[in-house]
Amino acid sequence: MTDTLLMTFLCYLLLGVIMIAFAGFLLSHDSDRRERLKKRRAADLAAAEMFYGVQGEFHAVWQEWKAVRGQAFDAADREQRRWALFGRSSAAAARVEALVARLATERHLTARDRTLLGCYRQAYRTLGSCLEADLPLGVTLRRRPDGGVLPADHEIWTDSATRSYATFIELATAVGALIAHSGVVPSEAHARASMRVIADSGFESPAWVTHARGALGLPSPSEPTQE
């Protein structure tokens, strides 16, 4: 009888130890999960803030550049203003480079995501290119052997009826939505593949317009618009 009670007691004791250990495991796992979610939310917020910042800077520099082109500044003052704006656009473009690198390493991107980010990266560069070439904002870019910029099918961005401008707005909205949607952390190989696609020269202006419209499901530049 004593042996039976002792065995029963030991079984209950062992069961209690197992249950306590299992409960501890669950609590630890839940704590780890919550910590990962917290870090993910913080990373998403940081990426969103970076995106909104560069978008705001794009439009601020653009509006100032329109004012510079539309007013009668003397040559020296105008050039000083142009190169100051070029410096701001270059700094913002560097933040875009950091943003797309961050997304490539922190998100498991689809082929569409990669295309959108590659197009956005190149579309953003049109601001600096136009300032460099002393042109109104639009789609440019053909590089001279000395590294300078020549107009290439330059389409000035006047309003939402300008197709490439409308494409940029849709593109920026899609990138913002991508950032807002939390994703899965990719493997190193997937992240490297994402960066190769995003940084591909095939998105250089004005090709980004066609690629972006395809990824966004919009009519191609050669098709009649119904926007």
Side-chain angles (χ1 to χ4, degrees):
M1 182 67 175
T2 302
D3 290 342
T4 302
L5 289 174
L6 179 61
M7 288 298 296
T8 302
F9 172 76
L10 290 175
C11 286
Y12 277 114
L13 180 63
L14 179 60
L15 180 60
V17 170
I18 292 172
M19 290 179 68
I20 291 171
F22 184 65
F25 168 77
L26 290 179
L27 287 172
S28 175
H29 179 74
D30 185 61
S31 178
D32 289 344
R33 184 179 65 84
R34 279 182 288 148
E35 186 62 26
R36 286 196 300 271
L37 288 175
K38 182 179 178 181
K39 290 180 178 179
R40 168 58 60 185
R41 283 194 294 268
D44 291 343
L45 179 60
E49 289 178 346
M50 187 182 296
F51 171 73
Y52 296 136
V54 295
Q55 271 299 106
E57 184 69 345
F58 185 98
H59 287 278
V61 172
W62 177 14
Q63 294 306 312
E64 289 187 40
W65 178 225
K66 285 169 66 176
V68 169
R69 288 185 59 85
Q71 297 179 26
F73 296 104
D74 62 67
D77 188 34
R78 184 185 186 283
E79 282 301 282
Q80 184 178 11
R81 290 170 182 268
R82 179 165 74 94
W83 288 113
L85 291 173
F86 178 77
R88 285 174 58 185
S89 73
S90 297
R95 293 197 294 276
V96 171
E97 293 292 329
L99 175 63
V100 299
R102 181 172 197 159
L103 293 172
T105 54
E106 294 181 353
R107 304 291 182 89
H108 193 281
L109 301 174
T110 65
R112 179 179 182 270
D113 295 337
R114 292 167 173 174
T115 296
L116 291 174
L117 291 172
C119 290
Y120 182 72
R121 173 177 175 267
Q122 290 295 343
Y124 202 98
R125 291 182 168 193
T126 61
L127 180 61
S129 298
C130 291
L131 285 161
E132 183 183 358
D134 198 353
L135 291 168
L137 186 57
V139 175
T140 63
L141 212 59
R142 196 175 60 217
R143 289 285 173 182
R144 296 195 304 253
D146 64 0
V149 181
L150 292 171
D153 302 322
H154 192 65
E155 180 186 47
I156 299 173
W157 290 6
T158 54
D159 53 38
S160 58
T162 308
R163 191 184 291 257
S164 56
Y165 171 59
T167 303
F168 178 71
I169 296 301
E170 295 254 12
L171 180 59
T173 303
V175 171
L178 168 62
I179 293 170
H181 179 71
S182 188
V184 179
V185 177
S187 65
E188 178 188 341
H190 188 89
R192 286 191 283 109
S194 291
M195 276 308 302
R196 281 197 297 270
V197 174
I198 293 168
D200 193 283
S201 61
F203 295 123
E204 286 185 1
S205 198
W208 68 263
V209 179
T210 300
H211 287 293
R213 295 185 74 84
L216 293 166
L218 301 173
S220 69
S222 60
E223 296 176 7
T225 181
Q226 296 180 359
E227 299 171 283

